[in-house]
Structures are given as C-alpha cells and as structure tokens.
C-alpha cells in the first residue's frame, strides 16, 4: 500500500485549512465588531441608516458651484462638497501636469543654472509635508495680504486682499455662450478631421495638416462669432462696496492656498517622473531619428515622447490620484470639500459610520474611475508586440 | 621618381579656453542663443527675488527678542522660535520633566545612527533596540524611579511626531511584506482578502482612516473599553502605510525571474525557506528606492494627525501662533518646521541612496 500522506503534510489539504482559518478569523472579528457597534449605537441612541440625507442641512457652505442654501438637504450639501473636490482636483491636475513637465524638462536642460534650480525645487518641495505647505500658503494669503479696503491693485481689474483674488471678467453677454459652442464645434470637427486625415495618410501616404487647421479655426471662428454679435467689450470690474468687493470673480484664499499647495507639492513628484521617463529613451533612438533626417521637434514628437510616455503614465496616474486624495486636506484650512462637508454632517448628526463610509465610497469612485481611464489610455499607448 | 614630399606642418591656433571660468560659462550657460536668453531671464528673476528675501530673512530680522520688538521691524521675526521652542518641540510635557522626552529622542536618534552601518546588523542589535525601546517607553511614561506618570495624552510635539513615524515605518514594513506575499499566494481566499484590503486602503485618503480611528473606532469596542487616542492614530498610520508597502514589494516579487523559484524548488526548499533565503532578499533589495519613497511619505503624513487634534509638532506650532503675542509670524514658524522636516527627509533619502549602492551586487 502506498504510504498515505498524512493530511497535515498534504499541500492541497493544508491550503484549504489555512484559507478556512483565515476566513473564519476575518468573519469572527467582523462579527465581534459589528455586534459591539450595534450595542453601542442602541445604548447611545444614535440613528442608523442613510435616512438623514433628506433632512435639512441648516449650515452654510462658503463656496459652491451650484445653487445652495442652508435650507437645502444634506444630499445637496454633499453634492456641493463633491463638486468642490472635483473642481480643485481637476484644476490642480491640469496645473500640476504643466508645471511638472516644465520643471522635469528644466532638470534635463543643458543650462546649468536652470537645471540646478529645478533640482533644488524638486528636492525641497518633495521633502516638506503637503499639509505644512497648505498652512504656509494659507498664512501668506491671510497675513501678508491687506484687508479689502487696502487691497493691492497691481493693475486695473485685479485686486489682491485677504478675502482672496478678485479679478474683472467680461460682462455677461449672449456672444460668450455662442463663442463657447463654436469652440466646442471646432474641437469636435477637428477630432473628426484628424481621424479622416490619419486614415487618408494610411491609405495614400499623403499627410494632412489637421492639427494646424483645427488650431487656426479655434482662434478665427470664435473671433468671427464675437464680431458678428457686435464685438461686446463691456467688463464686469470689481469695486469696493462697504467691507467687500462686488462684481468680478472672486477666488477664495482657501481655494487658492489649497490649489497652490497641492500643485507645488505634486509637481515636484511629476517632474521627477517626467525626467526619468525622458531619460529612459535610449540615446541611440534619438541619434537614429536625427540620422534619418527628422527635425528636433519631430524627433520629440515621433520618437521620444511615444516611448517616454509609456514609462511615465503608470506613475503619473498614481500622482494624480495622490493629488485627488490629498485634496481632502482642505478640511485643515477650511475649504468646503467633500470631507469637510461630511465632517460637519457627522458632527451634526453623530452618524460617524455612515459619514466615514460615504467619504470612503466617494474617494474609491474617484480613484477607480481615474485608474480605469488611465488604464485605457495606457493600453492605447502601450507597445504592440507580436 | 620624386623624393617624398615633406609633410606640411599645420599650425593650429591655440584652443579657445577648454577649461577655466570662461569656458565653463560658455559651455553651461551660453551654449546657444536660447540658452543665453534663458540664463539672462533666470538671472533677472533671481536678482529680483533673492536680495529682498535675504534682506527680510537676515538683515532686517531679529533672532531672540520679545514679541513687542517684532512689531516694529520690517524683517523676519525669528524670535518666535527660540522664545517658544520648548512648547513647539515638547508640547504639553509637564514642567520640570522636559529632560525625559529629550533623552528619549537622543536615545532613538543614537540607535538609528548606530544601526546605519551594515556590519552592525547582527542579533545583538535587536537586543539593543529592545532595551532601547523599553528605556524610551519608561522615560516617556514614567511611573518608576520616582518619575511621575505622564499620560499619552500629554505626549506631544517632536517626540509624538517621531514616535508616530518610527513605529509607523517599522510596523508597516513587515505587514506590507506579508500582504504582498498574500497577494501573490496561490490560495484564492487569502489572495482575495489581501487584494480587497490593499485596493480599499489605497483608494481612500489617510484622513478617512484617521477619522475612522478617532470617531468611528470607539463605537466598535465593547462598553467600557477604551483604547488610547494616540495608539488608534498610530494603528491607522500603520494600516495605511502597509498597503502601499505591499504594492511596492509586489513589484519586486513580480520582477523575480521564474528560474529563481524553480531553482529553490529543485533544492528542496519549502515555501518559507524559498521566500526567506532566495526570493525576498533579492526582491526587497531591488525595491529599495520606491520603498524609501513610501516611508518618506509616511513620515510626512504623520503631520495629518493635526486634523484629529493630536498635538504633533505641526499642531504645537499652530497653537503657538494662536498666542496673541505671536500671531502674524506664521511664515517664520512654518519655515522653521519646513527646515526640520527637510533635514529628516533628506537624511533618510541620502541614506537610502548609500544603502542601494552598498547592496548593489550586479555589474
């Protein structure tokens, strides 16, 4: 009879035992915590469930992209918070990409001064906690800038004071929305044109300058629309009324400090990623591209960037997600992002579990959707191998 | 047949500065018209910003005066730091007992510096650390040798920051390695648990975990049982950092060629031996740079405990700034803190670069 393997020596059986034990432990702990929570909630008579969402919020929110007042429901307050998070993250990501790329390229510059300055920026900004940077910028806005009455006025239409940055905008006019629609139409048209041009180039070999045509149209057509509407030039110029400014657009110090802190901190990391990505493209690639007669701009466009982007995109994605997650530090300087709004709601209702669950859920959605998009883009850019 | 022609001697002009200051300038700052423009613009920008900054920070500034003197000057009021240094660094530690946290911090720094050299990485070092940690804990908590008890609620300032970051890093690392191994495991249940944990934690901001520890966790415990607030925040930081470490380590594990596993199998090593002797030493080595990145962010992220009202060094600075005598000097105070954080982070990253060089066994 073949010696039967005792079950504690049989890998397959051992694996089952291990897994059952792990599951049992996890469930046991969860059950223990859950039953404790149930008992605690009952004893402290804290309501459970998401019924509170329909109740009146009865607190004001400093800035909002949509109509909101204290009489609105908690759901609406949460929506305001979520939109504020999206606003600061989106604008932050755009600025971070631009600043990070510029600094990353400056780091590789042949110019000693520029390269060393970029290196210093990267080294210093990476090593200072982002929360400290936020406090720093907020303090600058709050302490260094004067009160509205003595607002700095570097040029007509722009005021800087401790209530934020107030600048003039063109006064509302139907021409603006028409111009916006025209621009959108041009962009869609340009995208179609570009696809058609690429298809034609693949079939006949003749290139088509779709990009140049689109850029020209994007500048000329809205201008034509503007002229057709009689070229409105009226501006909505902010003016001091009592203790505050009326008119124009105000960017609050909270938003500015948050944006500045996030952009400066994250762009230092993006710069390092961009530098590493560009350096990962072999020197031979560039030399080969120059040898077949490509101009420097074309070398960058056709040879360096496509290969560098492949290295850059995955870490860049995680930096974008970091920026989004770090935007939750808004609560420390009083910008009404999702976490700050939820925290107020938790304090009002005492429903901590639902509140924290909402925060986690919303950020998971942000994270997962960003990574889905970046994965799609990454796949598009990836090397097609045989 | 003509005689071979005498080779003509060419006289080349002496090379134009191959080295020296002028050549350096030409090569590094003025190599093309674009570079020249860039240099001039940068110089102008620097000339415009640096002198006023120097004037503010060094010439017009005061270094150790009372708050009243600061009201009358244009420059930086660095006095806020020496005049409040005890509170900024040590927070609410009781009067007369300040030597205890200072001694504990010196001990910790001493142990860290002692452990830097690789030839000291032996069993004895573990014992030193164990004894050191017990001594540090005793110094901080007291209760023996006539030292009055200091509750953890009073631990604040730099000792708190150092404690949160030190234990955050030391405990998160092994937990992260275990999670990474779990994620690569062949057992589906274990793998799923690890994947769910890692992705959940990485998808949410640290603040939400800190909120969970500060406002939600008390609800999880049975009636009458409380866990210290500092400890709860510490656990949240560890759990958060571990998920990030796990992803980095997984990268290292994935980079190991299959042959390494097969070779270990053919030697008859079991799973534990394979991992401990073959895979992990190599995998952990190649992920040193990203690991240090994670540990550095863990260190910087300890400042987030401000939001749940723990008095780390950032919070004590903020409290100092709320003192009516010293409001308005945030710039100076925050710059001081920035320098403090920078020194710690810079020391860690340069050490990691050295370690990477020393452990490099490739060609």
């Amino acid at each position: 009879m073949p010696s039967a393997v005792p079950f504690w020596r049989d890998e397959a059986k051992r694996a089952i035992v291990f897994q059952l034990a792990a599951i049992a432990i996890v469930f046991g702990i969860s059950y223990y915590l859950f039953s404790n929570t149930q008992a605690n909630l009952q004893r402290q008579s804290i309501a459970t469930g998401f019924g509170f969402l329909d109740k009146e919020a009865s607190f004001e929110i400093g800035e909002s992209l949509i109509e909101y007042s204290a009489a609105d429901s908690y759901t609406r307050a949460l929506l305001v918070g979520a939109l504020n998070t999206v606003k600061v993250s989106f604008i932050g990501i755009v600025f971070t990409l631009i600043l990070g790329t510029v600094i990353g390229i400056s780091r590789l510059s042949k110019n000693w001064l520029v390269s060393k300055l970029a290196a210093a920026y990267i080294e210093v900004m990476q090593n200072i906690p982002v929360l400290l940077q936020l406090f720093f910028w907020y303090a600058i806005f709050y302490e260094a800038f004067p009160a509205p009455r003595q607002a700095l006025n570097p040029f007509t239409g722009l005021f800087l004071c401790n209530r934020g940055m107030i600048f003039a905008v063109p006064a509302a006019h139907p021409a603006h929305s028409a111009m916006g629609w025209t621009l959108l139409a041009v962009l869609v048209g340009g995208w179609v044109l570009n696809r058609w041009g690429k298809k034609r180039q693949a079939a006949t070999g003749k290139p088509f300058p779709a990009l140049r045509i689109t850029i020209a149209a994007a500048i000329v057509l809205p201008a034509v629309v503007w002229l057709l509407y009689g070229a409105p030039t009226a501006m909505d110029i902010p003016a001091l009324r009592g203790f505050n400014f009326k008119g124009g657009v105000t960017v609050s110090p909270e938003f500015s400090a948050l944006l500045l802190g996030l952009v400066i901190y994250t762009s230092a990391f993006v710069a390092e990623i961009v530098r590493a990505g560009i350096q990962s493209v072999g020197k031979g690639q560039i030399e080969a591209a120059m040898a077949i007669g490509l101009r420097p701009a074309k070398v960058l466009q056709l040879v360096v960037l496509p290969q560098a982007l492949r290295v850059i995109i995955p870490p860049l994605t995680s930096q974008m997600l970091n920026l989004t997650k770090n935007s939750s530090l808004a609560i420390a300087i009083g910008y009404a992002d999702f976490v700050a709004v939820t925290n107020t709601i938790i304090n009002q209702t005492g429903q901590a579990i639902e509140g924290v669950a909402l925060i986690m859920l919303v950020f998971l959605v942000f994270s997962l959707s960003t990574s889905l998009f970046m994965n799609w883009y990454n796949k598009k850019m990836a090397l097609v191998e045989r | 047949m003509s005689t071979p022609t005498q080779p003509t001697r060419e006289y080349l002009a002496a090379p134009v500065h191959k080295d020296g200051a002028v050549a350096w300038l030409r090569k590094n700052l003025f190599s093309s018209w674009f570079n020249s423009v860039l240099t001039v613009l940068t110089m102008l920008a620097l000339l415009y910003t640096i002198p006023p900054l120097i004037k503010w920070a060094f010439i017009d500034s005061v270094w150790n005066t009372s708050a009243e003197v600061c009201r009358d000057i244009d420059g930086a009021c660095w006095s806020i730091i020496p005049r409040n240094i005890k509170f900024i660094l040590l927070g609410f530690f009781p009067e007369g007992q300040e030597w205890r946290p200072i001694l504990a911090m010196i001990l910790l720094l001493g142990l860290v510096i002692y452990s830097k050299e690789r030839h000291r990485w032996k069993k004895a070092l573990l014992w030193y650390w164990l004894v050191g940690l017990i001594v540090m804990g005793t110094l901080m908590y007291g209760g023996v040798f006539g030292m009055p008890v200091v509750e953890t609620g009073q631990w604040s300032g730099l000792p708190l920051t150092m404690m949160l970051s030190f234990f955050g890093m030391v405990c998160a690392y092994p937990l992260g390695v275990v999670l990474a191994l779990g994620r690569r495991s062949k057992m589906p249940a274990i793998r799923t648990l690890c994947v769910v944990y890692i992705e959940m934690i990485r998808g949410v901001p640290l603040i939400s975990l800190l909120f969970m520890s500060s406002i939600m966790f008390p609800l999880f415990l049975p009636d009458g049982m409380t866990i210290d607030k500092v400890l709860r925040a510490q656990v949240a930081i560890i759990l958060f950092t571990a998920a990030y470490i796990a992803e980095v380590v997984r990268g290292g594990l994935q980079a190991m060629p299959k042959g390494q596993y097969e070779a270990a199998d053919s030697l008859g090593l079991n799973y534990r031996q394979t991992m401990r002797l073959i895979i992990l030493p190599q995998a952990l080595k190649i992920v040193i740079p990203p690991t240090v990145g994670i540990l550095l962010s863990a260190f910087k992220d300890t400042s987030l405990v401000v939001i749940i009202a723990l008095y780390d060094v950032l919070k004590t600075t903020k409290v100092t700034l709320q003192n009516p005598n010293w409001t308005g000097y945030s710039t100076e105070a925050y710059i001081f803190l920035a320098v403090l954080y920078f020194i710690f982070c810079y020391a860690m990253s340069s050490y990691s670069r050295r370690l990477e060089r020393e452990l490099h066994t490739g060609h």
Side-chain angles (χ1 to χ4, degrees), chain A residues 19 40 111 126 143 325, chain B residues 39 202 219 221 244 300 330:
Chain A
Q19 297 185 61
N40 282 328
N111 190 317
Q126 278 192 344
E143 288 171 9
K325 281 181 274 175
Chain B
T39 307
R202 274 161 38 92
L219 291 175
L221 295 177
Y244 284 80
K300 287 180 286 174
S330 325

Side-chain angles (χ1 to χ4, degrees), chain A residues 104-272:
Chain A
I105 292 173
S106 307
R107 181 74 188 87
L108 292 174
S109 166
K110 286 201 188 81
N111 190 317
W112 182 86
L113 194 60
V114 172
S115 152
K116 287 292 174 243
L117 276 180
Y121 176 94
I122 295 171
E123 194 67 51
V124 170
M125 293 307 169
Q126 278 192 344
N127 283 337
I128 299 174
V130 61
L131 188 59
L132 180 58
Q133 297 195 30
L134 292 184
F135 283 148
F136 180 82
W137 294 117
Y138 191 56
I140 294 260
F141 279 112
Y142 234 84
E143 288 171 9
F145 285 154
R149 281 176 176 281
Q150 290 89 38
L152 301 174
N153 194 355
F155 50 85
T156 324
L158 177 73
F159 291 96
L160 289 170
C161 66
N162 60 15
R163 299 284 171 86
M165 190 167 70
I166 303 114
F167 52 87
V169 286
H173 192 280
H176 296 140
S177 63
M179 283 164 73
W181 287 113
T182 319
L183 187 65
L184 193 68
V186 168
L187 291 181
V188 172
W191 181 71
V192 174
L193 203 64
N194 189 27
R195 285 192 67 144
W196 174 80
K198 272 200 181 139
K199 218 176 258 174
R200 195 184 73 152
Q201 191 175 8
T204 65
K206 284 185 206 149
F208 185 77
L211 186 68
R212 278 182 226 173
I213 292 177
T214 313
I215 291 175
I219 295 168
V220 173
L221 287 181
V224 168
V225 171
W226 183 66
L227 285 172
L228 283 179
Y229 271 89
T233 52
M235 295 291 276
D236 181 9
I237 296 171
L240 195 61
R241 294 261 184 284
F243 291 106
N244 217 338
F245 282 95
K246 284 265 164 10
V249 168
T250 306
V251 181
S252 70
E254 290 83 14
F255 179 78
S256 319
L258 182 62
L259 188 66
L260 205 59
L262 290 177
V263 166
I264 288 181
Y265 180 73
T266 319
S267 63
F269 290 90
V270 171
E272 274 294 89

Side-chain angles (χ1 to χ4, degrees), chain B residues 197-355:
Chain B
Y197 175 82
I198 293 172
E199 294 303 328
M200 276 271 293
I201 299 275
R202 274 161 38 92
V204 300
L206 176 56
I207 285 215
S208 58
L209 284 190
L210 288 175
F211 274 155
M212 209 163 145
S213 81
S214 75
I215 52 182
M216 214 165 122
F217 195 73
L219 291 175
F220 286 165
L221 295 177
D223 192 19
M225 182 174 163
T226 50
I227 291 184
D228 184 71
K229 199 171 162 187
V230 177
L231 185 63
R232 292 195 314 242
Q234 178 76 79
V235 170
I237 290 174
I238 293 172
L239 293 181
F240 184 77
T241 312
Y244 284 80
I245 297 270
E247 275 306 89
V248 167
V249 173
R250 180 171 73 114
L253 291 175
Q254 276 175 347
M256 281 299 105
K258 224 177 169 181
Q260 297 286 336
Y261 290 91
E262 289 163 354
D265 280 347
S266 67
L267 285 174
L269 300 182
N270 64 24
Y271 178 79
R272 246 203 351 240
Q273 288 167 324
T274 308
M275 287 301 157
R276 197 168 64 85
L277 299 172
I278 311 286
I279 304 299
L280 282 181
Q282 301 181 70
L284 294 182
K285 193 172 80 186
I286 57 174
V287 294
I288 287 179
T291 311
V292 172
I294 302 288
L295 293 181
L296 279 178
S297 15
F299 173 63
K300 287 180 286 174
D301 281 347
T302 55
S303 58
L304 264 62
V305 296
V306 169
I307 293 165
I308 54 166
L310 288 188
Y311 284 81
D312 80 325
V313 70
L314 185 53
K315 182 77 180 178
T316 53
T317 309
K318 275 185 80 76
V319 171
T320 308
L321 288 167
Q322 279 159 11
N323 178 342
N325 279 332
W326 298 105
T327 42
Y329 305 112
S330 325
T331 319
E332 290 87 342
Y334 290 147
I335 288 179
F336 168 73
L337 269 195
V339 171
L340 200 68
Y341 272 106
F342 180 83
I343 292 172
F344 277 110
C345 291
Y346 192 77
M348 276 197 277
S349 58
S350 50
Y351 175 64
S352 90
R353 279 194 283 267
R354 199 187 89 185
L355 198 61

